[in-house]
Amino acid sequence: MAKKRFSRIICSLLAAVCAIPLLCSCNKNGEEITDVPKTEDNYRTYYQIFPYSFADSNGDGIGDINGIIQKLDYIDNMNFDGIWLTPVHKSTTYHKYDVVDYKSIDSQFGTMDDYDKLVEECHKRGMTVLLDLVFNHTSDKHEWFESCYAAHVRNRPQDQYYNYYNFERKSSSKPSGWEDYDNSWMYECQFWSGMPDLNLQSVLDEPDGYLANDLKEVMRFWLEDHNVDGFRLDAVTSYFTGNNTKNKEFLTWLNNTAKSIKKDCYIVGEGAWGNVAENRTYQESGVDSFFAFQHGYSGNGTLSYSVRLEKAFYLSNIDADNKRDVAGGMPALFVANHDTPRAWGILQGASDVNNIKMGYGLMAMCCGSTFWYYGDELGMNVYKKASSQDFRDEDRRQPMPFDDDYRCKPVAGSTAADDSEKYKLGTVDKNIKDSGSVLNYIKRANALRRAYPQIARSYAESVYLSDDGTVAAVKKGSGDDTIYIVMNVSHDETAMLDLSEIGSGLKLAATLSVDAQPSVSGNKLKMPKQTFAILKG
């Protein structure tokens, strides 16, 4: 984004904010921040939904699109700016990553009219919708796969579908990630035999060829005909397994194609799970964001380290790392998603529930877009029996514990357990009513992020770090729009700071706290344990 445009966006957003009294998130008096302007660009806070397990509107025990529509006010009230839905296309599985028809809605979830209504209702609330786009593979029940196989059997290389997948004659030296088919043939399927890989080399070889044009049409169908706001890209590292250069080439084609259809669409990719250099290569494609696995996803991520080990320097380090690593793109942070452990485990909520609050609070203070997995605001836990060796994917995708008829049934194959094991903090209704809940902390953190748009749109500059490393301060924005963020990550100790050590002429503007609020007396800033403070000149 050009500097002048960035400045105009910041100024216009701040002008709108300043016209509204900042009422913990919380102004300096500990009162809730309310009625802040909605986000208008792609620096958003997203709520990820696994549709099968979220909200059931028709009583069949399976989550559906109408159920999501009925719960949009719940998401909106937590001040989320957008939603990402895992795949909703026709499919043979509960997770829907094996796509049978890209231009469809699986009947378990509803109809295309339902989906259009969802998009419309989100837009009414100032929220955007990201579609999960799965271009690495399809279902083996997709008509493209069946037509491709038929073209190979009949030896018709001129057939439209001949190059849609990678088929070869069966041999004794079958490569890894290939599966036998119909005795004489084999095909590439890096994930599972039911999900054959598309031959994306044919797109690079023929950007206006049959497969390329079909994929273009899929993107146009969703971006133009059904008004989605962007895509989450699944498994980009497997477009060409083991070939980062080819992955980048295809990502470049995909990004350019999508933005020729809708120039302001937002695209975020599931890149390498921790290989920052690989993701930096992918960022050169022009794709807006790739998930920063190094900061979330496990107990070794920096968001977890900071709050568990009381290391406040991550307040600046996360932004500094992202500024370097995204190569001009937009950072995308998360703690957990449908493939990882839950935030309850990653942030060690069992040891201290405030770890979850602080982990989310720290993420909310970072530049870029942020993503939160449904139910993590309720302490959902990936439960497994003591005799089980591994967590099951199904256990990462358990029903949202609504207190009404919208609650779904457990995913088939998930581990049976009492609610007290799966939902450590109780139901939705209980948490809404508890002002000190993780849910309400998230609501306040999101409001603070909206009220001070510099937080998401500028990188932090370190200005202070205490001798014991538990308190840090950073500067964001520039000129009259400069703010200072102070964090005390200590689990036990209150800190007293001289404001002159941070900047000149500073006043307390807003706070975010798990309990007692930061306060100023004279030139002294009091930071109780596990708190954030926003200061302005």
Side-chain angles (χ1 to χ4, degrees), residues 279-513:
N279 284 339
R280 193 181 299 129
T281 296
Y282 297 153
Q283 198 86 59
E284 295 170 5
S285 66
V287 168
D288 299 284
S289 303
F290 290 89
F291 287 115
F293 281 88
Q294 69 273 25
H295 297 309
Y297 148 62
S298 76
N300 295 327
T302 52
L303 291 167
S304 180
Y305 265 141
S306 179
V307 301
R308 292 189 296 104
L309 304 180
E310 304 174 82
K311 303 295 186 183
F313 61 80
Y314 283 115
L315 180 62
S316 60
N317 281 21
I318 292 173
D319 266 6
D321 288 350
N322 283 336
K323 184 178 182 180
R324 179 192 66 235
D325 295 335
V326 302
M330 182 192 302
L333 289 101
F334 74 105
V335 174
N337 65 29
H338 62 289
D339 287 326
T340 74
R342 282 280 186 173
W344 178 263
I346 292 170
L347 298 172
Q348 294 189 6
S351 298
D352 184 353
V353 71
N354 289 336
N355 286 342
I356 301 179
K357 297 177 183 178
M358 288 296 289
Y360 190 85
L362 175 56
M363 184 168 74
M365 298 301 139
C366 294
C367 180
S369 57
T370 60
F371 293 78
W372 194 252
Y373 189 36
Y374 84 98
D376 278 350
E377 71 273 24
L378 308 170
M380 285 180 64
N381 182 34
V382 183
Y383 177 80
K384 70 172 183 178
K385 294 178 180 178
S387 59
S388 175
Q389 295 299 309
D390 299 307
F391 294 110
R392 300 176 180 178
D393 282 342
E394 292 86 350
D395 292 328
R396 298 178 169 102
R397 307 160 186 176
Q398 291 282 45
M400 185 75 168
F402 288 114
D403 304 82
D404 53 29
D405 292 339
Y406 286 91
R407 184 162 173 175
C408 304
K409 65 184 179 184
V411 178
S414 60
T415 304
D418 293 336
D419 279 4
S420 60
E421 295 291 344
K422 293 188 292 184
Y423 310 110
K424 291 297 189 178
L425 303 179
T427 63
V428 170
D429 190 54
K430 175 186 176 182
N431 281 269
I432 289 175
K433 294 175 180 177
D434 178 4
S435 63
S437 67
V438 172
L439 185 156
N440 279 304
Y441 182 95
I442 289 171
K443 177 180 179 178
R444 296 192 291 268
N446 289 345
L448 193 64
R449 189 172 164 87
R450 275 188 191 161
Y452 294 92
Q454 309 94 315
I455 293 174
R457 292 159 186 81
S458 57
Y459 291 107
E461 176 187 339
S462 178
V463 297
Y464 175 83
L465 181 65
S466 65
D467 291 339
D468 66 359
T470 61
V471 180
V474 300
K475 179 171 71 171
K476 287 201 171 198
S478 60
D480 292 340
D481 296 334
T482 300
I483 63 170
Y484 294 81
I485 305 171
V486 185
M487 178 176 77
N488 180 4
V489 75
S490 171
H491 293 180
D492 305 299
E493 300 296 329
T494 295
M496 297 294 294
L497 287 78
D498 191 321
L499 286 173
S500 63
E501 295 187 77
I502 301 171
S504 61
L506 298 180
K507 296 180 180 179
L508 183 62
T511 64
L512 180 64
S513 172

Side-chain angles (χ1 to χ4, degrees), residues 32 35 80 92 105 122 124 165 187-188 207 239 261 273 286 297 309 316 346 352 355 375 378 412 489 517:
E32 294 282 346
D35 297 325
F80 283 98
T92 67
I105 298 295
C122 283
K124 283 181 183 178
Y165 300 84
Y187 64 95
E188 186 177 11
Y239 290 153
I261 299 167
W273 281 42
Y297 148 62
L309 304 180
S316 60
I346 292 170
D352 184 353
N355 286 342
L378 308 170
V489 75
Q517 302 296 323

Side-chain angles (χ1 to χ4, degrees), residues 249-281:
E249 287 182 41
F250 180 74
L251 284 164
T252 302
W253 174 87
L254 188 158
N255 180 72
N256 291 343
T257 302
K259 289 175 181 171
S260 70
I261 299 167
K262 181 176 282 190
K263 64 180 180 180
D264 60 347
C265 70
Y266 173 65
I267 303 176
V268 56
E270 179 198 21
W273 281 42
N275 187 329
V276 175
E278 183 175 344
N279 284 339
R280 193 181 299 129
T281 296

Side-chain angles (χ1 to χ4, degrees), residues 11-236:
C11 290
S12 62
L13 286 171
L14 283 176
V17 170
C18 290
I20 299 170
L22 290 184
L23 294 177
C24 170
S25 357
C26 13
N27 64 12
K28 62 183 180 180
N29 298 318
E31 300 164 319
E32 294 282 346
I33 292 176
T34 60
D35 297 325
V36 293
K38 296 282 189 174
T39 302
E40 295 183 355
D41 59 13
N42 286 327
Y43 286 82
R44 290 178 177 262
T45 303
Y46 292 91
Y47 189 79
Q48 182 197 349
I49 297 173
F50 190 75
Y52 193 94
S53 298
F54 189 65
D56 168 28
S57 71
N58 61 8
D60 65 358
I62 295 172
D64 49 49
I65 293 169
N66 277 323
I68 297 171
I69 293 171
Q70 295 303 312
K71 298 301 181 181
L72 281 180
D73 285 344
Y74 166 75
I75 300 169
D76 189 24
N77 286 336
M78 283 191 288
N79 297 313
F80 283 98
D81 303 312
I83 61 173
W84 154 34
L85 274 62
T86 55
V88 294
H89 310 296
K90 183 180 179 182
S91 165
T92 67
T93 62
Y94 81 98
H95 56 71
K96 312 303 178 191
Y97 278 96
D98 57 327
V99 178
V100 172
D101 180 359
Y102 284 108
K103 297 181 183 179
S104 70
I105 298 295
D106 194 284
S107 59
Q108 286 186 318
F109 295 161
T111 67
M112 191 64 73
D113 286 343
D114 296 333
Y115 190 87
D116 288 341
K117 181 68 172 176
L118 172 65
V119 174
E120 178 186 354
E121 290 296 326
C122 283
H123 288 172
K124 283 181 183 178
R125 293 164 173 81
M127 298 164 64
T128 54
V129 180
L130 299 184
L131 178 85
D132 210 315
L133 193 63
V134 189
F135 274 176
N136 178 65
H137 48 256
T138 71
S139 168
D140 61 352
K141 301 299 187 293
H142 198 295
E143 63 177 1
W144 295 350
F145 183 75
E146 296 168 354
S147 297
C148 181
Y149 173 65
H152 278 79
V153 168
R154 294 165 186 164
N155 193 27
R156 294 179 178 173
Q158 74 281 4
D159 188 282
Q160 170 181 344
Y161 297 102
Y162 187 85
N163 290 318
Y164 275 44
Y165 300 84
N166 295 309
F167 272 100
E168 291 186 7
R169 287 284 184 181
K170 185 177 178 181
S171 70
S172 57
S173 56
K174 181 171 63 179
S176 174
W178 287 66
E179 186 72 21
D180 292 342
Y181 195 73
D182 197 22
N183 297 321
S184 301
W185 294 87
M186 60 183 181
Y187 64 95
E188 186 177 11
C189 50
Q190 295 292 334
F191 279 72
W192 167 53
S193 61
M195 297 196 300
D197 285 26
L198 284 167
N199 176 16
L200 299 179
Q201 181 62 48
S202 69
V203 175
L204 301 183
D205 292 342
E206 298 181 86
D208 293 312
Y210 288 119
L211 178 56
N213 285 333
D214 270 339
L215 297 184
K216 287 178 191 177
E217 176 57 23
V218 169
M219 288 188 276
R220 189 204 62 76
F221 178 82
W222 289 105
L223 290 171
E224 198 170 84
D225 294 352
H226 297 282
N227 207 22
V228 302
D229 302 284
F231 301 124
R232 177 265 184 183
L233 306 179
D234 181 62
V236 307

